[in-house]
Amino acid sequence: MKLCALCKKEAVVDKYFTKKSVCPHCKGDLHICLNCRFYSETSHNKCLEPNAEFQRVRDKANLCEYFAFKETNSIPPDREKEEAGRRLDELFKK
């Protein structure tokens, strides 16, 4: 599952994903460092990809050729309550 780093809601990325794609929920850019699997707060230039060019702004669209959308297994915050209720129902189902 892919989550928008700006609003933490699920971002659907299809074959039409481009550097100009925006989140359907918050309308923020999706092709940003914060959404990239190579982004690392503690790495040099905040990027694990050594060949990537330095990006000064990390929350706006950029032209980085190494961008790869970060995958997560966590549940988006807006669906946590719903998922917890479903699991509780399953646990006590007779």
Side-chain angles (χ1 to χ4, degrees), residues 29-76:
D29 296 325
L30 289 176
H31 195 282
I32 60 175
C33 293
L34 299 176
N35 282 333
C36 184
R37 71 181 183 105
F38 294 116
Y39 177 74
S40 171
E41 191 66 37
T42 58
S43 295
H44 175 68
N45 288 341
K46 298 190 188 300
C47 186
L48 297 172
E49 173 52 57
N51 296 319
E53 290 184 26
F54 176 73
Q55 302 295 325
R56 184 169 306 280
V57 180
R58 309 217 184 271
D59 62 348
K60 299 290 182 198
N62 59 54
L63 300 175
C64 182
E65 296 296 323
Y66 297 99
F67 178 85
F69 215 110
K70 183 183 348 182
E71 292 280 341
T72 182
N73 292 330
S74 65
I75 300 166

Side-chain angles (χ1 to χ4, degrees), residues 4-30:
C4 172
L6 303 175
C7 69
K8 308 294 186 241
K9 293 184 178 178
E10 187 173 4
V12 179
V13 177
D14 57 14
K15 64 182 180 179
Y16 302 110
F17 181 78
T18 68
K19 295 173 183 170
K20 295 180 180 180
S21 295
V22 295
C23 174
H25 306 286
C26 69
K27 305 298 183 221
D29 296 325
L30 289 176

